[in-house]
Amino acid sequence: SIGLFNNYMAKFGVEVSYVDCFDNEAWANAVQPNTKVIYCESPSNPLAQICDIGYLSELCKANDILLVVDNCFATPALQRPLDLGADVVIHSATKYLDGQGRVLGGALVGSDKLMQEAFTVVRSGGISMSPFNAWVFTKGLETLKLRMQAHCNNANQVADFLVNHPNVSTVHFSGLSDHSAH
Ligand SMILES: Cc1ncc(COP(=O)(O)O)c(C=O)c1O
């Protein structure tokens, strides 16, 4: 995303400021009179940092700003940003939505009005998904919940091992998976 913002959006005159994603005060301070969008990736790649999406949604509503959340890593099986007040959710569907390394693609989710605007750009710009890729993705969605449960179970087993390891001082849990033992 940083490459997209710095190298391409800047050419269209879009100014971008960056903040520590878990610092709510920094988000609020970064809002300018010309701010149109708050964009966050939560959990982030590669550090798995978490934003307070509910807080950002309030901040956006108070300032008439759109909240866009990249939900690639959590997927809708673990986190639903629209329910937390986001306006648009984006996915690199190539990752967990397919989950099996078969096809490349992306997904954009939001209100009819916003998606109609996006659809116009996609249709005119030619960044449309092939029917075969779309079919593979929809088949992948059928197993998304089960696959994410398996990922969470595996991650919790690794975390449990590390928690009890004498050479490991701290283990961070994201709060997204069901690790009720902790
Ligand atoms: C969280 C996240 N969002 C978006 C992207 C971009 O994905 P794509 O190359 O499929 O557009 C990546 C790629 O690594 C990512 O990790």
Side-chain angles (χ1 to χ4, degrees), residues 66-72 75-76 79-83 85-93 97 106-116 118-119 141:
L66 287 180
L67 177 60
V68 179
V69 179
D70 183 326
N71 197 33
C72 278
T75 82
Q79 172 171 271
R80 294 173 171 244
L82 294 181
D83 290 346
D87 297 289
V88 176
V89 178
I90 65 171
H91 292 275
S92 167
L97 293 193
L108 196 59
V109 190
S111 68
D112 282 348
K113 182 173 173 293
L114 288 172
M115 292 308 100
Q116 189 56 48
F119 177 68
L141 288 180

Side-chain angles (χ1 to χ4, degrees), residues 41 45 70 72-73 92 94-95 105:
E41 191 176 289
N45 181 18
D70 183 326
C72 278
F73 277 14
S92 167
T94 312
K95 301 194 170 65

Side-chain angles (χ1 to χ4, degrees), residues 71-81 89 91 96-97 140-152 176-178:
N71 197 33
C72 278
F73 277 14
T75 82
L78 299 177
Q79 172 171 271
R80 294 173 171 244
V89 178
H91 292 275
Y96 290 122
L97 293 193
L141 288 180
E142 291 172 9
T143 55
L144 177 66
K145 192 173 172 193
L146 289 172
R147 287 186 283 107
M148 294 313 290
Q149 275 167 356
H151 286 308
C152 291
L176 288 172
S177 64
D178 177 18

Side-chain angles (χ1 to χ4, degrees), residues 50-165:
I50 305 289
C51 300
D52 184 343
I53 297 172
Y55 169 80
L56 292 180
S57 148
E58 297 295 321
L59 181 65
C60 285
K61 284 184 177 53
N63 291 280
D64 200 18
I65 298 170
L66 287 180
L67 177 60
V68 179
V69 179
D70 183 326
N71 197 33
C72 278
F73 277 14
T75 82
L78 299 177
Q79 172 171 271
R80 294 173 171 244
L82 294 181
D83 290 346
L84 300 171
D87 297 289
V88 176
V89 178
I90 65 171
H91 292 275
S92 167
T94 312
K95 301 194 170 65
Y96 290 122
L97 293 193
D98 173 47
Q100 294 156 83
R102 300 174 294 188
V103 284
L104 305 180
L108 196 59
V109 190
S111 68
D112 282 348
K113 182 173 173 293
L114 288 172
M115 292 308 100
Q116 189 56 48
E117 286 180 38
F119 177 68
T120 310
V121 175
V122 167
R123 193 178 51 188
S124 310
I127 41 179
S128 306
M129 186 179 287
S130 77
F132 176 72
N133 283 21
W135 178 78
V136 171
F137 278 123
T138 51
K139 296 306 287 176
L141 288 180
E142 291 172 9
T143 55
L144 177 66
K145 192 173 172 193
L146 289 172
R147 287 186 283 107
M148 294 313 290
Q149 275 167 356
H151 286 308
C152 291
N153 290 341
N154 293 343
N156 279 332
Q157 283 182 38
V158 173
D160 285 339
F161 170 78
L162 294 173
V163 159
N164 297 314
H165 197 286

